[in-house]
Amino acid sequence: MLIIMRLDADRSDVERVKGKIKLLGYLPHEIPGEERLAIGITGNKGKVDPELFLTLPGVLEAIPVTKPFKLVSRDAHPAGTIVKVEGAGPLGGKELAVIAGPCSVESRQQIIEIAWMLKEMGIKFLRGGAYKPRTSPYSFQGYKADALEFLKEAKEVTGMRIVTEVKDTETLPIVAECADVLQVGARNMQNYSLLEAVGAQKKPVLLKRGFAATIEEFLMAAEYILYAGNLNVILCERGIRTFETSTRNTLDLNSIPIIRKLCHLPIIVDPSHGIGVWDGVSAMSMAAVAAGADGLIIEVHPDPSAALSDGYQSLKPSTFKALLERLEQLAPIMERTLTLSHAEVS
Amino acid sequence: MLIIMRLDADRSDVERVKGKIKLLGYLPHEIPGEERLAIGITGNKGKVDPELFLTLPGVLEAIPVTKPFKLVSRDAHPAGTIVKVEGAGPLGGKELAVIAGPCSVESRQQIIEIAWMLKEMGIKFLRGGAYKPRTSPYSFQGYKADALEFLKEAKEVTGMRIVTEVKDTETLPIVAECADVLQVGARNMQNYSLLEAVGAQKKPVLLKRGFAATIEEFLMAAEYILYAGNLNVILCERGIRTFETSTRNTLDLNSIPIIRKLCHLPIIVDPSHGIGVWDGVSAMSMAAVAAGADGLIIEVHPDPSAALSDGYQSLKPSTFKALLERLEQLAPIMERTLTLSHAEVS
Amino acid sequence: MLIIMRLDADRSDVERVKGKIKLLGYLPHEIPGEERLAIGITGNKGKVDPELFLTLPGVLEAIPVTKPFKLVSRDAHPAGTIVKVEGAGPLGGKELAVIAGPCSVESRQQIIEIAWMLKEMGIKFLRGGAYKPRTSPYSFQGYKADALEFLKEAKEVTGMRIVTEVKDTETLPIVAECADVLQVGARNMQNYSLLEAVGAQKKPVLLKRGFAATIEEFLMAAEYILYAGNLNVILCERGIRTFETSTRNTLDLNSIPIIRKLCHLPIIVDPSHGIGVWDGVSAMSMAAVAAGADGLIIEVHPDPSAALSDGYQSLKPSTFKALLERLEQLAPIMERTLTLSHAEVS
Amino acid sequence: MLIIMRLDADRSDVERVKGKIKLLGYLPHEIPGEERLAIGITGNKGKVDPELFLTLPGVLEAIPVTKPFKLVSRDAHPAGTIVKVEGAGPLGGKELAVIAGPCSVESRQQIIEIAWMLKEMGIKFLRGGAYKPRTSPYSFQGYKADALEFLKEAKEVTGMRIVTEVKDTETLPIVAECADVLQVGARNMQNYSLLEAVGAQKKPVLLKRGFAATIEEFLMAAEYILYAGNLNVILCERGIRTFETSTRNTLDLNSIPIIRKLCHLPIIVDPSHGIGVWDGVSAMSMAAVAAGADGLIIEVHPDPSAALSDGYQSLKPSTFKALLERLEQLAPIMERTLTLSHAEVS
């Protein structure tokens, strides 16, 4: 059940509704919208009677929710959520978000070098893995705490905002201290303890779709985070597992219009993992934005052939810059903006 | 093995090469290119020695082919094939191809009405099913020969070119008489007898990807048609089967850049079957063109709720027109043209 | 709708019911059972009123069918269909059916040699491909009409019954003349013209599940054959396409209990294509029978390493014989019989 | 690289080899076998020279390993691992292991009642979920610490051994205190922090295959646990995600012979989650054992229709007992034993 408050409802009206919800033994969740406030009710087993709330002052509507997700439902927040990141402009608004950087932080020099390159192109979000979940225990697992220090330094010197993955609850405090946006990876999409933990802290969360997760399961994973108290979630489509072997994954752009209809959270696309071959990344980036994505997260490496991980799907800075120029042309057709700096890449 | 002829090679050089190929017990296939002629060799079990041809007059190169497909390989025809359809402009060139119309021809009046609507928007290709392969023997299977007559009449009065499906070799002659482009459906992508039959006639063939076909199998199916002698094949991505249930299929746009790299044939996209829900069709159409597709085939019905088949994924004419206007903006960014008429839809 | 006739109903009762069905504009289909006769009604768009039939003499019940399939539904024939093949015992009864032989007929000598080997082990059904649908036009496509002659000779000299694939309607007459059981391959499972053609002739049909077909689509494909008039259909599970790459397909034994519940047709399993690696075939054969399959179809080749197709998944005669001995132990636990000859394999 | 020690190698030989491995900067892992000891080398980037070890006393062979998994490879331990559980007989040996019980511990009374029922049938392992990972935050998540207490009591009174799931590192100590075998669920198969944590403690681990994990990824997940020091891992096939919708998952029995060939760990099957419908569980249980599984884990509930989770796939005690009787007949054919008590189920 969602309670939609009137435009002229004041704080005491809101508290009265929340009080009644608690009195019934349920949990209230405030979901701020552009114009109105909605209050989600969770914890009820059966149907809740709308009459119980429609008679309270300040209440406009009481909408029963039949989907399994409630807090992430577009009904709860029709205008769409905009996630604010201090110093870097919001995610989910008119400005197309572009997050770029290497798969892994490989050295102090590497990350600072690529950060400057990206900064000069006008990019505001730097990605880079410190803790890397890997299929094999014998693969490079990231430079961990050292990498976090290098990311912090990259942020200090360039002013770029940091997006990096948190892989478990143990390292959450140290990663959250460094990250401006915490990434939860595809393999952890149904690690509910981690979802609850990132939901219980304040940093925005970039949640990647599990490679075998249905769209409904993906939204239910986001629901866990909102339910734990953090409304600042950005969804990220990154491809699903199919029988096709000529691509690393099958980037499922169908999820963009489907999720847009069902859910109010911003959704961005990771074409690098999605198609998994560098010379398909530009085409899939253009396609993602044309499908309506709020942004992109792209692997860019100063020297892909020397990368410690995912080199085959990483773009060279010059290829990335050429892509940005095409995205800049595409953005206005999608009623988006993309503000780039047109300095030369060294 | 592909033999690439020199620019100044004349007919006698070509015949000499073909003669040598036959002498060795293999089959030669001419593959005309924009500038040069290539000659594919098939029928060889093992490796063919390039030396055998490099010494002949007029031969520029002899390229061993390691992919399982030869005639459809981009190596055979780097510039890309343009399929000409008399009276409607080519498929695969600079002009974005748009094929539109109802899933099924439902009546004389329906098909002529929608043909006029589409014609007035500037569309040159009319789709409409006469013979419909259906999962259930109890579902509507198309109006067959009657529907072909209605399509012919729609062509006569509007001048639109006809794209319609051929479902078996028995009805191929009658369908080919009506169709300007013969569609081979997804379920028939590995019906090799049908592939050979459409390969042995002259009309261009629109080959849909089977819903569980890998890209390599898709290209091998096209190879059957070229091998049988028909070079005018247009590929059509229409979605693959995955675990996701919120879409009818998973439209796999990743195939566009992958196929572009491997194969010289034009490739268009069917977003209607691909995502399978009408309110996702526009987003996926935009995405397909941004991914580099040569065109689109879209289900448009005057009254989707009354359609005998696929109503749920069909666009209303007004929605389709709005999409065309967005595609018109997108085309130049993709170095394409899309020439529409801007008359009002009644 | 299914009309179930009383035990004491006579021919005139049956004809009266069929007459009434036709009068209503529908089609009647007789489905003989062990005890009772059922009459399926197809061709109706909406619901048929059971009252119309319950008042007729000889009618026991009128059962509305909500599943999309009718004639193949177990409701139509609760006891299960037994397909009789003259000279080889029935398929679908107490006796476990074992069909064995090479993927392709490779020579007169090869097929007669393996036929004798199998015959000596007690096998009654010989498989062998004459027309082979292949992914590549450059792969061996079978010895076609010659292979059919060799199969006929193998039948004459050994008395074994022949199971061979029909790949199109053009070659159906010549293949049906040779085959005791006509196989429709996985790629043709939704080739409806072929399904209708094998439905319109008398030979039993072994229908393989398409590698991306749901169980419901599989049963609907069988429905096409029954609807065309041929009740003698044997289903064959042969594996589906999934993301797993260490097996050629994923043999889906789950389909055995599911289909058993829904459908009255016998179902056998093809472990050779199912797992696709010879050293997994015995384990999957045992598992198939333990899951309740009515039989097996197994690729056996005198010299797998020299096979023209599918050698990697074929058993040597000695391995096959060892498997038969284990199946002979398993059969009674499944309330089946398996009568083998225990002569030595030369 | 695997170093295989001679039969007559003594402790000092082993320590000498391990010392040399460490000297080279790599890690040694002892893998005890039935007859011989193997020592796995990990931590090497490139190839290790076998000569370095073949000259040491007590060394029989030095086998380079090309598979990505080393410690779980059958090469490391050809005879197969047998996991001992005090008081309940080993897993992976001649005795077929049967683990049974409800999906969730629902009350003290429920778990003790079902424990007694199962005990009377001869079952030695009781399953029951205390912490339940669920797709929705609003679904029943288990009775957690209370449920662990009930399980302990069930163990005390019946003597059955407890198999229960651990869902995160935080609750690992409390769950490990109760469990005789720790289950790691399908969603956590690539939760590497959890794999490392269960690898660093002593209790045997039952690792379920992720529903979109390839067999290779499944074995790599087990490799993480062995690499962290715990050799007592039991693999559990529980079905993969495919396009099929008539079963909850597609139980992939093909994995049994494939894993048996590649890996020395015991493998059991979960037919309840695998097929996901109760009336298919018995057929798939029989099939699993016939495919060569070392055991089964089956959901049994005193009253499935009242279960708080997974009722639809749970067996009633009477159905389970009938299955056990059929398994008892099947076991000797598979060269297994299954010792049941034949007391009546109340």
Side-chain angles (χ1 to χ4, degrees):
Chain A
M1 172 80 78
L2 287 165
I3 312 294
I4 313 296
M5 302 303 291
R6 295 164 55 99
L7 284 182
D8 58 1
D10 62 18
R11 199 65 221 164
S12 67
D13 294 335
V14 172
E15 292 305 327
R16 197 178 300 110
V17 169
K18 291 173 69 176
K20 182 139 190 184
I21 292 170
K22 288 177 192 161
L23 203 70
L24 291 162
Y26 311 147
L27 280 175
H29 301 263
E30 285 190 38
I31 309 165
E34 213 160 272
E35 292 198 331
R36 298 171 195 283
L37 181 82
I39 303 172
I41 302 179
T42 65
N44 53 309
K45 294 265 151 168
K47 233 185 129 203
V48 180
D49 185 358
E51 296 292 323
L52 292 169
F53 298 96
L54 287 174
T55 51
L56 295 183
V59 170
L60 179 71
E61 275 186 285
I63 305 174
V65 176
T66 53
K67 300 271 179 197
F69 38 86
K70 298 179 188 184
L71 306 178
V72 305
S73 170
R74 186 160 283 270
D75 295 337
H77 189 3
T81 283
I82 294 177
V83 174
K84 285 176 196 127
V85 181
E86 183 274 319
L91 291 151
K94 215 169 160 3
E95 172 81 11
L96 204 60
V98 181
I99 303 168
C103 178
S104 302
V105 177
E106 296 174 4
S107 71
R108 183 183 167 281
Q109 191 202 330
Q110 173 238 27
I111 196 68
I112 291 176
E113 178 189 346
I114 191 73
W116 274 120
M117 280 183 184
L118 295 168
K119 163 91 174 178
E120 280 166 17
M121 296 181 204
I123 302 302
K124 299 186 193 78
F125 291 98
L126 177 68
R127 63 154 290 155
Y131 293 87
K132 305 290 307 169
R134 298 300 296 273
T135 302
S136 166
Y138 310 124
S139 298
F140 171 62
Q141 315 249 334
Y143 285 122
K144 303 180 180 175
D146 288 345
L148 293 176
E149 290 308 311
F150 301 151
L151 284 169
K152 277 188 214 168
E153 191 175 341
K155 178 178 174 177
E156 276 166 29
V157 298
T158 65
M160 290 186 80
R161 269 38 196 167
I162 303 299
V163 180
T164 196
E165 178 163 357
V166 56
K167 77 185 248 290
D168 54 31
T169 52
E170 287 85 342
T171 54
L172 173 57
I174 183 178
V175 177
E177 194 210 317
C178 166
D180 295 286
V181 177
L182 282 166
Q183 179 179 317
V184 174
R187 291 184 184 86
N188 274 322
M189 193 204 81
Q190 293 191 315
N191 180 339
Y192 299 119
S193 304
L194 183 58
L195 296 181
E196 285 165 358
V198 297
Q201 56 83 56
K202 298 281 181 195
K203 289 282 173 76
V205 178
L206 179 70
L207 177 68
K208 290 196 148 189
R209 181 179 181 184
F211 56 69
T214 62
I215 289 172
E216 187 173 305
E217 289 168 343
F218 187 19
L219 296 183
M220 290 310 289
E223 184 87 6
Y224 263 93
I225 304 174
L226 270 72
Y227 183 62
N230 189 345
L231 302 185
N232 291 309
V233 174
I234 304 125
L235 302 172
C236 181
E237 166 64 45
R238 48 77 74 206
I240 57 173
R241 185 159 276 189
T242 69
F243 60 80
E244 178 60 63
T245 53
S246 63
T247 50
R248 179 168 167 186
N249 293 286
T250 296
L251 184 64
D252 177 16
L253 294 180
N254 308 271
S255 68
I256 308 296
I258 300 290
I259 288 176
R260 185 72 74 214
K261 190 167 55 174
L262 296 173
C263 170
H264 59 80
L265 297 172
I267 175 154
I268 69 169
V269 170
D270 176 350
S272 307
H273 287 86
I275 190 166
V277 287
W278 73 270
D279 57 3
V281 169
S282 295
M284 296 317 285
S285 298
M286 292 290 285
V289 172
D294 292 296
L296 297 163
I297 177 166
I298 298 180
E299 291 190 348
V300 183
H301 193 282
D303 180 6
S305 64
L308 292 182
S309 54
D310 283 356
Y312 190 60
Q313 68 196 33
S314 297
L315 296 187
K316 284 188 288 191
S318 56
T319 311
F320 178 62
K321 188 157 197 284
L323 167 60
L324 287 176
E325 284 161 12
R326 296 186 67 207
L327 290 170
E328 200 179 17
Q329 292 182 278
L330 177 58
I333 295 175
M334 302 308 297
E335 289 167 30
R336 300 275 187 181
T337 56
L338 179 65
T339 319
L340 298 176
S341 149
H342 286 275
E344 281 307 291
V345 179
S346 53
Chain B
M1 173 79 78
L2 285 165
I3 311 295
I4 314 295
M5 301 302 291
R6 295 165 55 99
L7 283 181
D8 58 2
D10 62 20
R11 199 63 222 166
S12 68
D13 294 336
V14 171
E15 292 304 326
R16 196 178 302 108
V17 170
K18 291 173 68 176
K20 181 137 191 188
I21 293 169
K22 287 178 193 160
L23 203 70
L24 291 161
Y26 311 147
L27 280 175
H29 301 264
E30 285 190 38
I31 310 166
E34 215 160 88
E35 292 198 329
R36 297 173 195 284
L37 181 84
I39 303 172
I41 303 179
T42 64
N44 54 310
K45 295 265 153 171
K47 235 186 125 200
V48 179
D49 184 357
E51 296 292 322
L52 292 169
F53 297 97
L54 288 172
T55 51
L56 295 183
V59 170
L60 179 71
E61 273 186 286
I63 306 172
V65 177
T66 53
K67 298 274 179 194
F69 38 85
K70 298 179 186 182
L71 307 178
V72 305
S73 170
R74 185 160 284 269
D75 295 337
H77 189 4
T81 284
I82 295 179
V83 175
K84 285 177 196 127
V85 181
E86 183 275 319
L91 291 151
K94 214 169 160 5
E95 171 82 10
L96 204 62
V98 181
I99 302 168
C103 177
S104 302
V105 177
E106 296 174 4
S107 70
R108 184 182 166 282
Q109 191 200 331
Q110 174 238 27
I111 196 69
I112 291 177
E113 177 190 345
I114 190 74
W116 274 120
M117 281 183 183
L118 295 168
K119 163 90 172 178
E120 279 166 18
M121 295 181 204
I123 302 303
K124 299 187 194 78
F125 291 99
L126 176 68
R127 61 155 291 156
Y131 294 86
K132 305 290 307 169
R134 299 300 295 274
T135 302
S136 166
Y138 311 124
S139 298
F140 171 61
Q141 314 249 336
Y143 285 123
K144 304 179 178 175
D146 288 345
L148 293 176
E149 291 306 311
F150 302 150
L151 284 169
K152 278 189 213 167
E153 191 176 340
K155 178 177 174 178
E156 275 165 29
V157 296
T158 65
M160 291 185 81
R161 268 39 195 167
I162 303 299
V163 180
T164 196
E165 179 164 355
V166 56
K167 76 186 248 292
D168 53 31
T169 51
E170 288 86 341
T171 53
L172 174 57
I174 183 177
V175 177
E177 194 210 317
C178 165
D180 295 286
V181 176
L182 283 165
Q183 179 179 316
V184 174
R187 290 184 185 88
N188 274 321
M189 193 204 82
Q190 293 189 317
N191 180 339
Y192 299 119
S193 304
L194 183 58
L195 297 181
E196 285 166 356
V198 297
Q201 56 84 55
K202 298 281 181 196
K203 290 283 172 77
V205 178
L206 179 70
L207 177 66
K208 290 194 147 191
R209 181 179 182 185
F211 55 70
T214 62
I215 288 172
E216 187 173 305
E217 290 167 342
F218 187 20
L219 296 183
M220 290 311 288
E223 184 87 7
Y224 262 93
I225 303 175
L226 270 71
Y227 183 62
N230 188 345
L231 303 184
N232 292 310
V233 174
I234 305 125
L235 301 172
C236 180
E237 166 64 47
R238 49 76 74 202
I240 58 173
R241 186 160 275 189
T242 69
F243 60 81
E244 179 60 63
T245 53
S246 64
T247 49
R248 178 168 167 185
N249 293 287
T250 296
L251 184 64
D252 176 16
L253 294 180
N254 307 272
S255 68
I256 307 296
I258 300 290
I259 288 176
R260 185 72 73 213
K261 190 168 54 175
L262 297 173
C263 172
H264 59 79
L265 297 172
I267 176 156
I268 69 168
V269 171
D270 175 351
S272 307
H273 286 85
I275 190 166
V277 286
W278 73 270
D279 57 2
V281 169
S282 295
M284 297 317 286
S285 297
M286 292 290 284
V289 172
D294 292 296
L296 297 164
I297 177 166
I298 299 180
E299 291 189 348
V300 182
H301 193 282
D303 180 6
S305 63
L308 292 182
S309 55
D310 282 357
Y312 190 62
Q313 69 195 32
S314 297
L315 296 187
K316 284 189 287 189
S318 56
T319 311
F320 178 62
K321 188 158 197 285
L323 167 60
L324 286 177
E325 284 162 13
R326 298 187 65 206
L327 289 170
E328 201 179 17
Q329 291 182 279
L330 177 58
I333 295 175
M334 301 308 297
E335 289 166 29
R336 300 277 187 179
T337 56
L338 179 64
T339 320
L340 298 176
S341 150
H342 285 275
E344 281 306 290
V345 179
S346 53
Chain C
M1 172 81 79
L2 287 165
I3 312 294
I4 313 297
M5 301 303 291
R6 295 164 55 100
L7 285 182
D8 57 3
D10 62 19
R11 198 63 222 166
S12 67
D13 295 335
V14 172
E15 291 305 326
R16 196 178 303 109
V17 169
K18 289 173 68 176
K20 181 138 191 186
I21 292 169
K22 288 178 194 161
L23 203 70
L24 291 162
Y26 311 146
L27 280 175
H29 301 263
E30 286 190 37
I31 309 166
E34 214 161 89
E35 291 198 329
R36 296 172 196 284
L37 180 83
I39 303 172
I41 302 180
T42 64
N44 53 310
K45 295 265 150 168
K47 234 186 127 200
V48 179
D49 185 358
E51 296 292 322
L52 292 169
F53 298 96
L54 289 172
T55 51
L56 296 183
V59 171
L60 179 72
E61 274 187 287
I63 306 173
V65 176
T66 54
K67 298 273 180 197
F69 37 85
K70 298 178 186 184
L71 306 177
V72 306
S73 169
R74 186 159 283 271
D75 295 337
H77 189 4
T81 283
I82 293 177
V83 174
K84 285 174 196 130
V85 180
E86 182 274 317
L91 291 151
K94 215 170 163 356
E95 171 81 10
L96 204 61
V98 181
I99 303 168
C103 177
S104 303
V105 177
E106 295 172 6
S107 71
R108 183 181 167 282
Q109 191 201 330
Q110 172 238 30
I111 196 69
I112 291 176
E113 177 190 345
I114 191 73
W116 276 120
M117 280 183 182
L118 296 168
K119 164 92 173 179
E120 279 165 19
M121 296 181 202
I123 302 303
K124 299 183 194 80
F125 291 98
L126 177 68
R127 63 153 291 156
Y131 293 87
K132 304 290 306 169
R134 299 300 294 274
T135 302
S136 167
Y138 311 123
S139 298
F140 171 61
Q141 314 251 336
Y143 285 123
K144 303 179 180 175
D146 288 346
L148 293 176
E149 290 308 310
F150 302 150
L151 284 170
K152 277 187 212 168
E153 191 176 340
K155 178 177 175 177
E156 276 165 28
V157 299
T158 64
M160 289 186 83
R161 267 38 195 169
I162 303 299
V163 180
T164 195
E165 178 164 356
V166 55
K167 77 185 247 291
D168 53 32
T169 51
E170 287 86 342
T171 53
L172 173 57
I174 184 178
V175 178
E177 195 210 317
C178 167
D180 294 287
V181 177
L182 283 165
Q183 180 179 317
V184 174
R187 290 184 186 86
N188 274 321
M189 193 204 82
Q190 292 190 317
N191 180 339
Y192 299 119
S193 303
L194 183 58
L195 297 181
E196 284 166 357
V198 298
Q201 56 84 57
K202 298 282 182 196
K203 290 283 172 75
V205 178
L206 179 69
L207 177 67
K208 290 196 148 188
R209 182 179 180 184
F211 55 69
T214 62
I215 289 173
E216 188 173 303
E217 289 167 341
F218 188 20
L219 296 183
M220 290 311 290
E223 185 86 9
Y224 262 93
I225 303 175
L226 270 72
Y227 182 62
N230 189 345
L231 303 185
N232 291 310
V233 174
I234 305 124
L235 302 173
C236 180
E237 166 64 47
R238 48 78 73 204
I240 58 173
R241 185 159 276 188
T242 70
F243 60 81
E244 179 60 62
T245 52
S246 64
T247 50
R248 178 168 168 185
N249 293 286
T250 295
L251 185 64
D252 177 17
L253 295 180
N254 307 272
S255 69
I256 308 296
I258 300 289
I259 288 176
R260 185 70 75 213
K261 191 168 55 175
L262 296 174
C263 171
H264 59 79
L265 298 172
I267 176 155
I268 70 169
V269 170
D270 176 349
S272 307
H273 287 85
I275 190 165
V277 287
W278 74 269
D279 58 3
V281 168
S282 295
M284 297 316 286
S285 298
M286 292 291 283
V289 172
D294 293 297
L296 296 164
I297 177 165
I298 299 179
E299 290 189 349
V300 182
H301 193 281
D303 180 5
S305 63
L308 292 183
S309 55
D310 282 357
Y312 190 61
Q313 68 195 33
S314 297
L315 296 187
K316 283 188 288 190
S318 57
T319 311
F320 178 63
K321 188 158 197 283
L323 167 60
L324 286 175
E325 284 161 13
R326 296 187 67 207
L327 289 169
E328 200 179 18
Q329 291 182 279
L330 177 58
I333 294 175
M334 302 307 297
E335 290 166 27
R336 300 277 187 180
T337 56
L338 178 65
T339 320
L340 297 176
S341 150
H342 285 275
E344 281 308 290
V345 179
S346 53
Chain D
M1 173 80 77
L2 287 164
I3 311 295
I4 313 296
M5 300 304 291
R6 295 165 54 99
L7 283 182
D8 58 2
D10 62 20
R11 198 63 223 165
S12 67
D13 295 334
V14 171
E15 292 305 327
R16 197 179 302 108
V17 170
K18 290 172 69 176
K20 181 138 191 186
I21 292 169
K22 288 176 193 161
L23 203 68
L24 291 161
Y26 312 147
L27 280 174
H29 302 263
E30 285 190 37
I31 310 165
E34 214 160 89
E35 292 197 331
R36 297 174 196 282
L37 180 83
I39 303 172
I41 302 179
T42 64
N44 53 312
K45 295 265 151 169
K47 235 187 129 201
V48 180
D49 184 359
E51 296 293 322
L52 292 169
F53 299 96
L54 288 172
T55 51
L56 295 184
V59 170
L60 179 72
E61 275 186 285
I63 306 173
V65 176
T66 53
K67 299 272 179 196
F69 38 85
K70 299 179 186 182
L71 307 178
V72 305
S73 169
R74 184 159 285 270
D75 294 338
H77 189 4
T81 283
I82 295 178
V83 175
K84 284 174 198 131
V85 181
E86 182 274 317
L91 291 150
K94 215 170 160 3
E95 171 82 10
L96 204 61
V98 181
I99 303 168
C103 177
S104 303
V105 177
E106 296 173 5
S107 71
R108 184 181 167 283
Q109 191 200 330
Q110 174 238 27
I111 197 69
I112 292 177
E113 178 189 345
I114 191 73
W116 275 121
M117 280 183 183
L118 296 168
K119 164 91 173 177
E120 280 166 16
M121 296 181 203
I123 302 303
K124 298 185 196 78
F125 291 98
L126 177 68
R127 61 154 290 156
Y131 293 86
K132 304 289 307 169
R134 299 300 295 274
T135 303
S136 167
Y138 311 123
S139 297
F140 171 62
Q141 314 250 335
Y143 286 123
K144 303 179 180 176
D146 288 345
L148 293 176
E149 290 307 310
F150 301 151
L151 284 169
K152 277 188 212 169
E153 191 176 340
K155 178 178 176 178
E156 277 165 29
V157 297
T158 65
M160 291 184 81
R161 266 40 193 168
I162 303 299
V163 180
T164 196
E165 179 164 356
V166 57
K167 75 186 248 290
D168 53 32
T169 51
E170 288 86 339
T171 53
L172 173 57
I174 183 179
V175 177
E177 194 211 317
C178 165
D180 295 286
V181 177
L182 282 165
Q183 179 178 316
V184 173
R187 289 183 186 86
N188 274 321
M189 193 205 82
Q190 292 190 317
N191 180 339
Y192 300 119
S193 304
L194 182 58
L195 297 181
E196 285 165 357
V198 298
Q201 56 84 56
K202 297 282 182 195
K203 290 283 173 76
V205 177
L206 179 70
L207 178 67
K208 290 195 148 190
R209 181 178 181 184
F211 54 70
T214 62
I215 288 172
E216 187 172 303
E217 289 168 341
F218 187 20
L219 296 183
M220 290 311 289
E223 185 86 7
Y224 263 93
I225 303 176
L226 270 71
Y227 183 62
N230 189 344
L231 304 183
N232 291 309
V233 174
I234 305 124
L235 301 172
C236 181
E237 165 65 46
R238 49 74 76 202
I240 58 173
R241 186 160 276 186
T242 70
F243 60 80
E244 179 61 63
T245 54
S246 63
T247 49
R248 181 169 165 184
N249 293 286
T250 295
L251 184 65
D252 177 16
L253 295 180
N254 307 272
S255 68
I256 307 296
I258 300 290
I259 288 176
R260 185 71 75 213
K261 190 168 55 176
L262 296 174
C263 171
H264 59 80
L265 298 173
I267 176 156
I268 69 168
V269 171
D270 176 350
S272 306
H273 287 85
I275 190 165
V277 287
W278 73 269
D279 57 3
V281 169
S282 295
M284 297 317 286
S285 297
M286 293 290 285
V289 173
D294 291 296
L296 296 163
I297 177 166
I298 299 179
E299 291 189 347
V300 182
H301 193 281
D303 180 6
S305 63
L308 292 183
S309 55
D310 282 356
Y312 190 63
Q313 70 194 31
S314 297
L315 296 187
K316 285 188 286 189
S318 56
T319 311
F320 178 63
K321 189 159 197 286
L323 167 60
L324 286 176
E325 285 161 10
R326 296 187 65 206
L327 289 169
E328 200 179 18
Q329 292 182 280
L330 177 58
I333 294 174
M334 303 306 299
E335 288 165 30
R336 300 277 187 179
T337 55
L338 178 64
T339 320
L340 297 177
S341 151
H342 286 275
E344 282 307 291
V345 180
S346 53

